[in-house]
Amino acid sequence: MEKVEAATARPASPLTERQEARRRRILRASAQLAGRGGFDAVQMREVAESSQVALGTLYRYFPSKVHLLVATMQDQLEHMHGTLRKKPPAGRTPAERVAETLMRAFRALQREPHLADAMVRALTFADRSVSPEVDQVSRQTTAIILDAMGQEHPTPAQLSAVRVIEHTWHSALITWLSGRASIAQVKIDIETACRLIDLTEPEAP
């Protein structure tokens, strides 16, 4: 039976080079297992075996499967962010660039539907104990959106718009994964939410 909770102690930050390598192996194993069979395929014992770490060590890094899969989502978004920076969006306006960026990220997840489903389910199941990992996902998504906007110092109004766009993107993922929305509908919803950016542009002095 899958262990639900374990000791909440985690490796001290920053991690040593060896600890970071171990953490990356764990995240890679998690993504591979989820990619093959979704949420239910990610069993902590199998993750430990695949990443060549002791089960107790795995639980020190990630106290539960939900912690692990939310961290896996943050890792996947970080990888996407690096890819997007190499080929920035080409839209004329910030709204167009953000919509293009989020659809590229969405299509990357679309190529791995089992993995996407596992990560989104973990985010949905996350309780307060997973707040640090959920916050990391939110910060990574915000960074991706602000980069697309070309905005290093957003105003409070712009940050509010970004939060609404994040919520829309997350909801679009859920409705698509559940078969309740087509890719075309997802695109329309994301583009509609991104128009909020135009409404929060600071007026020229």
Side-chain angles (χ1 to χ4, degrees):
M1 185 174 176
E2 184 72 7
K3 189 174 181 181
V4 176
E5 287 188 78
T8 56
R10 300 181 193 175
S13 185
L15 300 179
T16 65
E17 188 174 333
R18 185 176 177 182
Q19 288 171 328
E20 181 59 34
R22 185 182 296 133
R23 184 177 185 275
R24 296 215 63 78
R25 288 203 310 274
I26 292 169
L27 292 172
R28 188 161 55 246
S30 169
Q32 288 171 348
L33 288 168
R36 290 201 290 266
F39 185 87
D40 293 335
V42 181
Q43 301 296 321
M44 296 297 267
R45 189 171 297 280
E46 287 189 44
V47 172
E49 291 173 359
S50 297
S51 56
Q52 299 180 315
V53 302
L55 186 59
T57 300
L58 172 58
Y59 277 113
R60 284 199 295 274
Y61 280 78
F62 302 104
S64 74
K65 180 165 78 172
V66 170
H67 287 82
L68 173 58
L69 282 169
V70 174
T72 300
M73 186 166 195
Q74 191 277 330
D75 187 60
Q76 294 290 311
L77 287 171
E78 188 176 343
H79 177 73
M80 283 182 203
H81 197 181
T83 302
L84 290 163
R85 278 176 164 166
K86 291 175 184 174
K87 190 180 178 182
R92 276 186 315 106
T93 67
E96 289 175 358
R97 292 194 297 273
V98 172
E100 179 188 336
T101 293
L102 291 179
M103 283 309 298
R104 281 168 61 186
F106 187 88
R107 290 191 181 98
L109 291 170
Q110 186 188 4
R111 290 191 289 272
E112 294 263 19
H114 290 307
L115 174 58
D117 182 64
M119 296 186 302
V120 170
R121 282 178 68 183
L123 268 180
T124 305
F125 295 155
D127 58 20
R128 287 185 180 180
S129 72
V130 198
S131 290
E133 288 82 2
V134 173
D135 288 346
Q136 287 273 23
V137 167
S138 180
R139 280 195 291 271
Q140 189 66 61
T141 309
T142 297
I144 289 171
I145 293 171
L146 291 177
D147 257 14
M149 289 171 62
Q151 185 61 255
E152 290 185 15
H153 305 290
T155 65
Q158 287 173 324
L159 284 175
S160 182
V162 167
R163 283 193 294 273
V164 173
I165 291 165
E166 283 183 39
H167 296 326
T168 302
W169 187 70
H170 182 234
S171 295
L173 271 175
I174 292 173
T175 53
W176 172 72
L177 286 165
S178 64
R180 292 183 287 119
S182 65
I183 298 298
Q185 187 59 58
V186 166
K187 186 172 187 291
I188 290 168
D189 291 351
I190 287 175
E191 288 175 346
T192 300
C194 287
R195 292 194 190 106
L196 285 173
I197 294 170
D198 295 334
L199 301 178
T200 59
E201 280 289 298
E203 293 183 11

